Amino acid sequence: MKKLFPFLFLPSWVVAQVQGSFDIIPAPVQVVAAQGSFLVRPGERIHIAEDIWKGVAGMLAEKLTVATGATTPVSPGMSSTGILFRLHSGMPEEAYHVEVSPRKVEIQASSAKGAFYAVQTLLQLMPPAVLAGKPTQEKISIPACRIEDEPRFGYRGLMLDVGRHFIPVADVKRFIDLMAHYKMNRFHWHLTEDQGWRIEIKKYPLLTQVSSVRKESMVGHYRENKFDGKPYGSFYTQDEIRQVVAYAAERHVMVVPEIEMPGHSQAVLAAYPQFGFNADRIVPVRTKWGISEDVLFPREETFRFLEDVLTEVMDLFPSPYIHIGGDECPKAQWKESRFCQELIKKEGLRDEHELQSWFIRRIDKFLTSKGRRLLGWDEILEGGLSPNATVMSWRGVKGGIEAAKQGHDVVMSPNSFFYLDYYQGPPASEPLAIGGNLPLAKCYSFEPDLPELTAAEAKHVIGVQANVWTEYIGDLKYAEYMTYPRALALAEVAWTPKGKKDYERFKARVKARIPYLDAMQVNYAKTFLHQ
Ligand code: ACM
């Protein structure tokens, strides 16, 4: 009795917070608990004050219909009871307010994006079955509260490498669905690699006939140098790509495609050797992981090819950002080539790094002329950054700092914090991974507000991203194990105000989310529970 005593005199909203009934991830800007709860009855009506809520209200209605077994109608107009969506103009696009009382649930936002995030928050306050889209006998009640929320960063990304291992369309959709629930909004689709080209390009059919299939794959760790002897490959048709883009858009996720150049392009050269060192040098689609010396050459015909490819890519992806890779391009072949050396001289360039910058600048000019923005890994800084480039900083934050100081936008994706192919626990007790040491706490500890940047420079940091490289990840189940719960840390770094970050509380909230992850059959890692 003594222990409970203080609770008896605390206002009920404090008690609710102490009891942890608002274990929302990412943590909202402000949650104030109130008295009582709203009971969602079977057939509960959803009212939409404006037409713009049709999609998001429909999504919530579908979940409630499945959960309760009774049709949840959506009707136009205002109401003082039930569930209501209503315009609050002037709020930032992704912001929302939610007010839950025993009489009604009112969602306010200025756009469907904000309302979508409000619904994700509400789904975390209802029983797990609702989120998972399963029927339930459980009472669906939402604790009374007032939530005001908006994201810290506009770019909240996850990258999936489908070059090393192909992830089928249905699984890509599931990956997107899950990330959107945790309010991540940029799906970076790494579509081309030395080991496989994964996107249909109508003008270059050999990319799918030849470049999408490798003779065999590595088994075990790279250093063991063992192969399975089995051909491996697949690709997405343009129809499938469109489906994924539309599916993501419904969840307010922008799909950012990546077409690698000039490195990580051995698969292209397997089909079109004329874009490399010379047309007589025949290379297969790469079977080993690691970095290939066979890279694209800055020839006119290569640029024609890349512009053709990017034209089809831009037709498929409405994203303002087009990622062109730019990482890990060995320069040995360019050093050796008379063509490259003459080009360096002719263009007045200092070396091969400046030649790569010249290469990227041409692509930047092309994308800019089409109204798009070039996004590239931080190697694009070497030899000079092209004028309209946005930099994705992966080799730590150094490249990001440099780019921000030069007035370029930056996405922070430092490998030591956000490479989800790294081990999350002791390697002996984890499935095979590339290496590294990235427990959940480390991932959570990343702070994008870097002391090296002035306030004006820091504004160029538009967000953060975690990357799922798949050399050692053969399918979605494995990918989920590596992604969750670490992507929840990324989500919170990206969304929650700096002052509200607290690892121990976050960890407690991750634990509270476990029944939900279980209901959705997410193959998350439990490693963090022992850390
Ligand atoms: C990278 O990890 N090569 C971007």
Side-chain angles (χ1 to χ4, degrees), residues 463-484:
V464 289
Q465 179 174 290
N467 301 328
V468 184
W469 299 103
T470 58
E471 287 94 333
Y472 297 91
I473 297 173
D475 57 27
L476 182 74
K477 202 161 172 236
Y478 207 150
E480 282 187 353
Y481 181 87
M482 301 304 276
T483 307
Y484 289 92

Side-chain angles (χ1 to χ4, degrees), residues 327-328 377 394 419 469:
D327 59 319
E328 300 178 321
W377 299 110
W394 73 277
Y419 267 36
W469 299 103

Side-chain angles (χ1 to χ4, degrees), residues 306-376:
L306 289 172
E307 290 182 4
D308 287 344
V309 167
L310 290 173
T311 298
E312 291 194 32
V313 166
M314 286 187 283
D315 191 42
L316 293 167
F317 296 92
S319 160
Y321 294 107
I322 304 291
H323 203 305
I324 53 75
D327 59 319
E328 300 178 321
C329 176
K331 306 292 188 298
Q333 290 189 345
W334 288 6
K335 267 199 169 88
E336 206 184 304
S337 138
R338 223 171 81 185
F339 166 79
C340 287
Q341 294 308 315
E342 280 170 6
L343 186 58
I344 285 175
K345 233 179 259 154
K346 182 170 148 243
E347 296 294 332
L349 306 171
R350 193 177 311 143
D351 56 16
E352 293 75 24
H353 292 295
E354 286 200 357
L355 182 57
Q356 170 157 339
S357 279
W358 181 85
F359 190 122
I360 301 295
R361 260 200 306 278
R362 278 194 61 157
I363 299 295
D364 182 14
K365 212 170 183 179
F366 175 72
L367 291 175
T368 301
S369 77
K370 305 291 177 197
R372 305 298 180 103
R373 303 179 69 170
L374 180 145
L375 181 55

Side-chain angles (χ1 to χ4, degrees), residues 361-425:
R361 260 200 306 278
R362 278 194 61 157
I363 299 295
D364 182 14
K365 212 170 183 179
F366 175 72
L367 291 175
T368 301
S369 77
K370 305 291 177 197
R372 305 298 180 103
R373 303 179 69 170
L374 180 145
L375 181 55
W377 299 110
D378 59 57
E379 284 91 335
I380 64 172
L381 278 151
E382 296 163 1
L385 202 46
S386 62
N388 303 305
T390 297
V391 171
M392 198 167 260
S393 191
W394 73 277
R395 296 174 301 177
V397 293
K398 212 171 119 268
I401 290 170
E402 199 180 323
K405 284 192 181 296
Q406 291 180 30
H408 288 253
D409 281 354
V410 169
V411 177
M412 290 294 186
S413 190
N415 49 2
S416 51
F417 293 91
F418 291 147
Y419 267 36
L420 303 185
D421 55 335
Y422 287 10
Y423 282 107
Q424 54 197 312

Side-chain angles (χ1 to χ4, degrees), residues 90-398:
M91 276 168 81
E93 199 181 38
E94 293 185 299
Y96 67 90
H97 291 174
V98 163
E99 193 152 358
V100 180
S101 71
R103 278 176 65 81
K104 78 171 170 178
V105 175
E106 183 168 324
I107 293 156
Q108 295 187 11
S110 70
S111 81
K113 281 185 192 169
F116 177 81
Y117 294 132
V119 167
Q120 304 318 306
T121 293
L122 287 168
L123 288 169
Q124 293 195 9
L125 298 175
M126 293 188 239
V130 184
L131 173 62
K134 290 177 184 161
T136 179
Q137 298 301 317
E138 220 180 317
K139 215 171 68 171
I140 302 176
S141 76
I142 309 173
C145 61
R146 179 171 174 79
I147 299 175
E148 295 187 6
D149 203 9
E150 64 177 303
R152 181 176 175 194
F153 291 105
Y155 191 115
R156 306 180 299 277
L158 276 189
M159 188 214 76
L160 185 63
D161 164 16
V162 295
R164 273 57 175 263
H165 282 104
F166 181 77
I167 305 287
V169 166
D171 290 349
V172 171
K173 287 182 180 171
R174 177 176 159 91
F175 190 84
I176 291 170
D177 199 39
L178 213 47
M179 66 181 273
H181 173 62
Y182 297 106
K183 306 188 175 88
M184 288 172 274
N185 65 351
R186 302 287 181 260
F187 173 59
H188 171 176
W189 208 356
H190 185 82
L191 286 162
T192 72
E193 257 309 333
D194 293 314
Q195 295 86 0
W197 180 281
R198 305 283 173 233
I199 170 174
E200 178 189 25
I201 300 294
K202 305 265 192 207
K203 202 161 180 181
Y204 297 91
L206 297 183
L207 288 173
T208 37
Q209 286 164 23
V210 174
S211 308
S212 73
V213 183
R214 60 177 178 256
K215 195 174 74 178
E216 56 187 355
S217 307
M218 296 196 93
V219 282
H221 207 276
Y222 181 80
R223 58 181 167 262
E224 294 166 37
N225 204 32
K226 280 199 200 125
F227 296 84
D228 63 4
K230 288 186 255 178
Y232 181 96
S234 194
F235 64 90
Y236 308 104
T237 65
Q238 294 202 348
D239 276 350
E240 288 173 327
I241 298 260
R242 284 200 173 89
Q243 268 180 45
V244 170
V245 169
Y247 184 90
E250 282 170 16
R251 286 151 185 80
H252 304 285
V253 172
M254 175 198 294
V255 184
V256 179
E258 180 180 356
I259 305 296
E260 279 270 20
M261 62 187 81
H264 287 287
S265 296
Q266 188 176 318
V268 173
L269 299 174
Y272 300 100
Q274 64 270 35
F275 304 142
F277 190 72
N278 68 50
D280 299 327
R281 183 177 162 81
I282 307 298
V283 290
V285 176
R286 189 172 166 89
T287 54
K288 261 186 167 189
W289 312 136
I291 301 169
S292 171
E293 294 283 333
D294 280 283
V295 301
L296 298 175
F297 269 53
R299 304 181 202 285
E300 286 311 310
E301 56 190 321
T302 312
F303 287 115
R304 218 158 29 237
F305 162 75
L306 289 172
E307 290 182 4
D308 287 344
V309 167
L310 290 173
T311 298
E312 291 194 32
V313 166
M314 286 187 283
D315 191 42
L316 293 167
F317 296 92
S319 160
Y321 294 107
I322 304 291
H323 203 305
I324 53 75
D327 59 319
E328 300 178 321
C329 176
K331 306 292 188 298
Q333 290 189 345
W334 288 6
K335 267 199 169 88
E336 206 184 304
S337 138
R338 223 171 81 185
F339 166 79
C340 287
Q341 294 308 315
E342 280 170 6
L343 186 58
I344 285 175
K345 233 179 259 154
K346 182 170 148 243
E347 296 294 332
L349 306 171
R350 193 177 311 143
D351 56 16
E352 293 75 24
H353 292 295
E354 286 200 357
L355 182 57
Q356 170 157 339
S357 279
W358 181 85
F359 190 122
I360 301 295
R361 260 200 306 278
R362 278 194 61 157
I363 299 295
D364 182 14
K365 212 170 183 179
F366 175 72
L367 291 175
T368 301
S369 77
K370 305 291 177 197
R372 305 298 180 103
R373 303 179 69 170
L374 180 145
L375 181 55
W377 299 110
D378 59 57
E379 284 91 335
I380 64 172
L381 278 151
E382 296 163 1
L385 202 46
S386 62
N388 303 305
T390 297
V391 171
M392 198 167 260
S393 191
W394 73 277
R395 296 174 301 177
V397 293
K398 212 171 119 268

Side-chain angles (χ1 to χ4, degrees), residues 7 10-22 32-36 143-144:
F7 286 111
L10 285 171
S12 61
W13 64 269
V14 175
V15 175
Q17 278 195 333
V18 170
Q19 289 170 342
S21 38
F22 294 91
V32 178
Q35 196 101 45

